Every structure is written in structure tokens, then in C-alpha cells.
Amino acid sequence: MSRTSTSRSSEKRLLRYVDIHSPEQSTDVDFEEIASFLEHLFPSVRFRIRPSILTSVRKKCIERISERFASARMKDPNKAEQSFEPMYGEIDYERRTVLGEARIGGIVYDGRRLEDLFTSILGPQDLREHVSIILTDRLVSTYSTDDLRHHLRTIVCGFPSIVSLPGIVEAPAKPREYYLMKQGMELQGAGDVQLQELKKAFEGRFIDYGSPKTTEVLKGLALQGVLFHLTLQPFCDNKRCRLFNAHWQEDLIGSQISSGKLCAKHANVMRRLGKEPAINW
């Protein structure tokens, strides 16, 4: 069933399943805790932890999927559409990531092209009752019409929704003072030890790799993915709400850790949706 035909249906559609796909390589996330958090909000929905989406790539499709990963790379942040022929080395690297022979990292992918790619790997799904949330170790971006540039994202809401673990660290900006001090230290030739000490000086003001707070942040991002599927409106303007789409690390920590709650408006929305998770689009 196409998205268009689904939106035209007058039949009440209730969400029944949410599949949360584990990232390709990260192991320091408590997926059961994320599922338990969502089950508390949506008691009638079954949340299932799935292996990495790469495990669903059939052997005969590896070459084609690798080429599509290479083609999905974001190379020019000023262009909405990335159009180029991937080089052999790029395809070979992607092949090794699909096979688990190369570590993923340092490359930014166009989130919308990844969405199309993941959709093809997942195969046909009934969008009336099924949500897929893909956690990935890849950095993802989408193009903003506000400033006509690509920006890194923590989540790309769609069908499926994509949550980037390194995006939690790299997408929301760190405090301005951090960047100023880092730039000054680098100009003076500071090494890794000094830069690590700088990070310690700002401890608590941003999420870093391996932080135990990552699981807590992922709860809110996964909730945004579910809410997008139900309403197409996953975000809130309130900085103390778990649905706030944070562009600064301190706002991310404020909404997901310090507050860790929904605003009054979305608490009411969630109580209604929790009783009857109907798809309203």
C-alpha cells in the first residue's frame, strides 16, 4: 500500500508493532530499556528489538546495496541533491561495512537517500500498523531550506525513521566557549591530551562518545520516531519537552536528561495516543 493510498483511507488504523533495529556496531546502548520506556507509553503496542538492518541484506544484493551506500554520501553541503558516480574505493569500503569487515565512521550520508535505501532493504511493510526505527552508527544529514545547507541530524523522521548515534554527539552544537577555547588551543599546537582535558572542563555540558546518558537520549528520539509515524508532527517548541528538536547540546541535555518529561500539552496527547495509537494522516 502506498503512502498516498494510506492517507486517503477512512479506516481507523491502530499501530500494533514497533521494530527498533540495533546499530551496526555500537554495543553500549540498553535497547531493552528503550523498549520498556516506549511500552509504558503505548501499552497496546508490541516493541521488538531487531538486529542491525545490515543483517537483512541478502548475499546477492551486497554489491548493489554497497553502491547505493556509496552514492548516498553527502559530499557538498550546499547542494540539496548529491549527484555523482561513486569511486571503486568508496564502493569497496561500503561493501566491507556491510560485511562487518570495516568500521563505520567519519562519513556523512544524505538522510533521505538512506531512508530510501533502508526501505528497500526492509521490503514491503504495512504502514497501517508497523513502525521501523533504524539506529545507525552512520552520520546523517538533511538539507535545510532555511539556510540552503545540509546539517547533521540526530534523527531523520520518515518511513523508516533513522536515529544516528554519532549524530547525538556531533549534530547539536557544543557550547560556544568550547569551540573558542579549542580553536585557540589548536592554534598553539595542543595535542590530544590537552584537548581531552578541555572536554573534561566542559563535562556535563555535552554528550560525548560512550556516555551512559546515550540510552536516555535515545528514548526521547525513539519516541519522536513513533510520534512522527502516528501524527507526522514529532517535535515540540518547549525546551523542557522530550519532543524538543535540540540544535544545541545543552538543550538536548535539558530536554532529555534534566527534564526527561513531556510538556503538559504533549503529556495529554500521549495519554490519548497511548490508549488508542491511531494513525492520523
Side-chain angles (χ1 to χ4, degrees):
M1 176 176 289
S2 70
R3 297 175 198 176
T4 303
S5 61
T6 300
S7 65
R8 289 174 179 169
S9 172
S10 59
E11 179 187 354
K12 179 177 285 188
R13 297 144 295 164
L14 296 181
L15 177 64
R16 298 182 61 191
Y17 301 100
V18 174
D19 286 346
I20 302 174
H21 289 260
S22 305
E24 299 90 341
Q25 295 167 339
S26 294
T27 57
D28 54 354
V29 176
D30 190 334
F31 305 107
E32 296 293 342
E33 191 175 329
I34 296 169
S36 177
F37 167 77
L38 294 171
E39 284 169 351
H40 178 73
L41 294 171
F42 300 97
S44 65
V45 178
R46 184 180 177 191
F47 290 86
R48 305 181 293 198
I49 306 300
R50 298 295 196 190
S52 161
I53 192 169
L54 295 184
T55 62
S56 299
V57 178
R58 290 177 292 178
K59 189 175 181 180
K60 67 178 183 180
C61 299
I62 289 176
E63 192 67 26
R64 178 174 58 83
I65 294 298
S66 302
E67 187 170 341
R68 290 188 66 182
F69 269 121
S71 298
R73 294 181 176 202
M74 193 281 293
K75 291 190 174 182
D76 187 343
N78 297 309
K79 291 184 177 178
E81 300 289 337
Q82 307 292 310
S83 179
F84 61 91
E85 286 292 326
M87 296 183 289
Y88 170 80
E90 294 171 330
I91 298 172
D92 182 60
Y93 167 81
E94 298 298 347
R95 182 188 303 108
R96 288 184 288 117
T97 65
V98 172
L99 294 172
E101 298 172 353
R103 186 153 189 83
I104 297 170
I107 297 169
V108 181
Y109 299 82
D110 184 314
R112 292 305 172 196
R113 297 191 72 168
L114 274 193
E115 181 187 351
D116 290 340
L117 174 51
F118 289 157
T119 297
S120 70
I121 296 174
L122 288 170
Q125 286 188 317
D126 188 344
L127 296 179
R128 293 174 302 182
E129 58 179 28
H130 196 150
V131 172
S132 289
I133 299 175
I134 311 294
L135 305 187
T136 180
D137 289 306
R138 301 174 195 270
L139 284 165
V140 297
S141 71
T142 59
Y143 188 76
S144 171
T145 55
D146 292 337
D147 61 359
L148 306 181
R149 287 180 58 84
H150 269 262
H151 291 275
L152 292 175
R153 305 298 183 189
T154 54
I155 182 170
V156 176
C157 291
F159 303 90
S161 286
I162 302 169
V163 176
S164 168
L165 269 69
I168 293 171
V169 178
E170 306 291 352
K174 297 177 177 61
R176 288 189 177 88
E177 313 94 276
Y178 171 82
Y179 291 114
L180 291 172
M181 294 178 68
K182 182 172 183 283
Q183 184 180 36
M185 292 174 67
E186 288 174 338
L187 288 172
Q188 295 174 17
D192 290 342
V193 174
Q194 289 88 347
L195 294 176
Q196 287 300 321
E197 289 176 351
L198 176 63
K199 278 189 174 182
K200 287 182 181 177
F202 283 83
E203 192 169 346
R205 297 182 65 183
F206 59 81
I207 305 290
D208 204 356
Y209 291 101
S211 170
K213 297 175 181 176
T214 301
T215 296
E216 196 63 33
V217 173
L218 285 171
K219 291 179 186 176
L221 297 179
L223 177 60
Q224 292 171 9
V226 176
L227 197 62
F228 174 81
H229 193 97
L230 293 173
T231 67
L232 301 183
Q233 297 178 352
F235 301 131
C236 177
D237 292 333
N238 188 331
K239 290 186 177 181
R240 304 295 290 174
C241 179
R242 294 202 84 147
L243 300 176
F244 183 69
N245 186 23
H247 296 290
W248 290 88
Q249 283 281 339
E250 289 176 316
D251 289 338
L252 181 72
I253 292 170
S255 58
Q256 302 297 339
I257 308 293
S258 304
S259 166
K261 297 179 180 178
L262 295 164
C263 66
K265 171 188 168 185
H266 281 103
N268 286 329
V269 169
M270 210 57 64
R271 274 192 286 272
R272 173 173 54 80
L273 288 175
K275 293 178 182 176
E276 189 177 67
I279 298 172
N280 296 308
W281 45 269

